């Protein structure tokens, strides 16, 4: 940390310290966030976390949406902001929790990712010449959502999170526990579901990329992953890379 500070970085360790940077009379131009010794989450199966009384995420650490929100607001105040910028954001919890077949952790990671995308969309509203790209390196764990219609909320009557092939599904607190319950849809219907896994590796397939904002129309329906870099490059420098 001393090296970072000697190079002009403001070092923060908690969500509160990060947010307080926005109140500084002179916002810092270089920030280093150290919010955990390794990850800000505990990527282990639900049963292991329960046995060790560990939460899914470190409570003092900011969410990915909070990190992005502060980053963007500091960028907007940066002296060189109008020269262009790039932000790389990753919610690793969706990957690592999937590799541990922790459904609750994966869904929480997805919820946090969704909130971060909302922050990015708000930024694009303020700065329309911005491109947002979403991508993934794999389908970690091969997550499948399986409808458990008819299961009783909050109970495990007749093993409602077990499939017809007698393969246990993940529920709210681990394998073969009470099913997840989705929020009411537009018609007020509530759906119960369990999560099944293909395994623990990083599976290929089911990788979806989306784009919004400047040059979003240039994202093809199917593409090699190297095309993501090409679209980023073209948007940043207004130059198409040779094919």
């Amino acid at each position: 940390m001393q090296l970072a500070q000697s190079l002009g970085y403001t070092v923060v360790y908690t969500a509160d310290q990060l947010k307080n940077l926005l109140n500084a009379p002179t916002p810092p131009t270089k920030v280093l966030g150290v919010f955990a010794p390794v990850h800000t989450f505990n990527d282990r199966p639900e049963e292991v976390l329960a046995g060790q009384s560990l939460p899914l995420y470190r409570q003092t650490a900011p969410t990915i949406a909070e990190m992005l929100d502060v980053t963007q607001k500091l960028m907007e105040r940066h002296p060189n902001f109008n020269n262009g910028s790039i932000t790389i954001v990753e919610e690793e919890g969706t990957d690592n929790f999937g590799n541990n077949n922790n459904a609750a952790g994966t869904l929480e990671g997805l919820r946090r990712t969704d909130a971060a995308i909302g922050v990015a969309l708000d930024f694009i509203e303020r700065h329309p010449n911005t491109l947002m790209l979403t991508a993934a390196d794999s389908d970690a764990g091969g997550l499948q959502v399986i409808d458990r219609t008819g299961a009783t909320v909050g109970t495990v009557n007749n093993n409602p999170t077990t499939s017809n092939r007698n393969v246990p599904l993940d529920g709210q607190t681990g394998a073969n526990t009470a099913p997840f319950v989705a929020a009411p849809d537009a018609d007020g219907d509530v759906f119960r579901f369990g999560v099944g896994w293909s395994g623990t590796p990083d599976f290929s397939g089911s990788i979806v990329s989306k784009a919004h904002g400047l040059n979003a129309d240039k994202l093809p329906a199917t593409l090699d992953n190297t095309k993501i870099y090409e679209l980023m490059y073209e948007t940043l420098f207004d130059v198409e890379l040779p094919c």
Side-chain angles (χ1 to χ4, degrees):
M1 299 310 104
Q2 291 179 343
L3 175 60
Q5 290 172 335
S6 70
L7 294 173
Y9 284 86
T10 298
V11 182
V12 292
Y13 299 93
T14 67
D16 289 339
Q17 290 177 354
L18 178 68
K19 295 174 186 176
N20 285 338
L21 296 179
L22 298 176
N23 300 323
T26 303
T29 56
K30 299 195 315 187
V31 177
L32 174 64
V34 184
F35 304 118
V38 183
H39 296 303
T40 60
F41 50 84
N42 295 303
D43 51 345
R44 302 169 201 171
E46 298 97 323
E47 296 81 2
V48 174
L49 295 183
Q52 299 178 357
S53 298
L54 290 173
L56 294 173
Y57 280 79
R58 192 180 183 93
Q59 295 175 339
T60 59
T63 66
I64 195 70
E66 291 170 333
M67 294 183 207
L68 181 58
D69 181 60
V70 172
T71 297
Q72 290 179 336
K73 289 175 179 176
L74 290 177
M75 281 199 317
E76 288 174 311
R77 303 178 190 180
H78 194 283
N80 297 326
F81 174 66
N82 291 328
N83 293 337
S85 62
I86 182 171
T87 304
I88 309 296
V89 182
E90 180 181 21
E91 173 50 76
E92 183 67 17
T94 54
D95 190 338
N96 287 24
F97 277 122
N99 292 142
N100 282 273
N101 290 175
N102 185 326
T106 303
L107 294 176
E108 173 62 16
L110 287 170
R111 186 189 70 81
R112 291 170 178 238
T113 301
D114 185 68
I117 290 174
V119 172
L121 292 175
D122 289 342
F123 183 85
I124 294 175
E125 286 293 316
R126 302 194 299 272
H127 307 284
N129 62 334
T130 302
L131 170 67
M132 178 180 68
L133 278 171
T134 65
D137 66 272
S138 71
D139 183 12
L143 180 151
Q144 298 291 318
V145 174
I146 300 177
D147 181 17
R148 303 311 303 155
T149 301
T152 303
V153 178
T155 73
V156 289
N157 294 341
N158 300 319
N159 292 332
T161 53
T162 301
S163 75
N164 292 331
R165 291 179 296 169
N166 206 32
V167 177
L169 303 178
D170 265 357
Q172 294 182 27
T173 55
N176 224 8
T177 62
F180 294 101
V181 182
D185 64 12
D187 295 323
D189 295 324
V190 173
F191 295 93
R192 299 157 179 81
F193 65 93
V195 171
W197 302 98
S198 301
T200 57
D202 282 349
F203 293 101
S204 60
S206 301
I207 308 304
V208 178
S209 292
K210 295 290 185 179
H212 181 76
L214 181 65
N215 289 338
D217 59 316
K218 295 187 177 182
L219 182 71
T222 58
L223 70 160
D224 292 330
N225 57 5
T226 53
K227 293 294 183 181
I228 296 291
Y229 168 77
E230 294 176 10
L231 183 53
M232 292 166 59
Y233 188 97
E234 178 182 350
T235 304
L236 275 171
F237 304 109
D238 197 24
V239 175
E240 287 190 41
L241 290 171
C243 298

